[in-house]
Amino acid sequence: MAGTGLRERKKQQTYQNVSDVAIGLFLAKGFDAVSVAEVAAAAGISKPTLFRYFPAKEDLVLHRFADHEDEAARVVRAAESGASPVDALRRHFLDGLSREDPVTGLNGAPAVLAFHRLLYGTPSLVARAYEYQQRSEAVLAAALGDTLAARLAAGQIIAVQRILAQENWRRIAAGEPVEAVRGDAVAAAEEAFGQLEAVLPWLRSAAVRESAQDVSNATE
């Protein structure tokens, strides 16, 4: 078991190292100007090995979002009994703002701004990010009960998080200091999640998690 853990840690370290090398090259030269072969050579691995880790060139960049793909679903599943899933997600997003988590867009670090310029300025990366968002919606919908209503709700929730983050990033990238944006970012999040609560009243019920648990048990 210990050996398996070590192999997994080494695998994750390889993912991170190769992704870091690739992003460094993309930031320096532009995404389209760097070949996969160039990334593999700079990372000290073969091109076939690189593709075993990253099926598409875009995944070298989107790897940084890998840990966030099921984040909303995890927040819903971890919410206290009787708590509204939307309120749990609201509090989680507000906590991210307070920590200046890059995923909220409220972060002025040069490296973070450069990464987001790369992401939003490259059409193929934007398209790949959309696939990531679809997967996020799918796992969140499962956590909400995996019904049509759950899928509609998940789509709205993920869209709200994306739009809030992009607005924060847009203002900071345009030159506004983080502290000048923070108050508006918090107010916008409160308003947006408040609107979600209003249009998705059925999510206020603790039965949502019970339904999700039934789905989970049925698939085991």
Side-chain angles (χ1 to χ4, degrees), residues 44 78 194 209 216:
R209 276 182 305 284
S216 176

Side-chain angles (χ1 to χ4, degrees), residues 87 103 118 177 216:
D87 187 56
V103 79
L118 171 69
S216 176

Side-chain angles (χ1 to χ4, degrees), residues 90 94 160 164 184-198:
R90 178 189 64 82
L94 291 173
V160 161
L164 289 172
D184 289 343
V186 170
E190 292 280 17
E191 179 181 358
F193 281 98
Q195 290 179 8
L196 284 174
E197 284 275 23

Side-chain angles (χ1 to χ4, degrees), residues 139-181:
V139 292
L140 176 57
L144 295 173
D146 206 26
T147 61
L148 175 59
R151 290 190 286 277
L152 291 170
Q156 293 175 73
I157 291 167
I158 296 301
V160 161
Q161 293 179 329
R162 173 180 56 80
I163 292 168
L164 289 172
Q166 286 183 335
E167 176 63 12
N168 295 336
W169 169 78
R170 182 192 64 78
R171 291 180 58 181
I172 294 170
E176 293 187 58
V178 169
E179 289 308 314
V181 178

Side-chain angles (χ1 to χ4, degrees), residues 40-115:
I45 60 176
S46 68
K47 186 175 176 180
T49 297
L50 185 147
F51 277 124
R52 283 202 296 271
Y53 283 93
F54 300 95
K57 181 181 176 182
E58 290 78 12
D59 293 332
L60 289 160
V61 177
L62 272 298
H63 173 70
R64 287 198 177 177
F65 287 112
D67 290 342
H68 295 287
E69 188 169 295
D70 65 343
E71 185 170 359
R74 284 187 277 113
V75 170
V76 168
R77 291 191 180 104
E80 295 179 0
S81 178
S84 159
V86 173
D87 187 56
L89 290 164
R90 178 189 64 82
R91 286 184 278 107
H92 182 75
F93 193 87
L94 291 173
D95 178 65
L97 290 175
S98 70
R99 293 183 286 105
E100 298 183 12
D101 188 333
V103 79
T104 67
L106 191 70
N107 188 298
V112 172
L113 292 176
F115 175 82

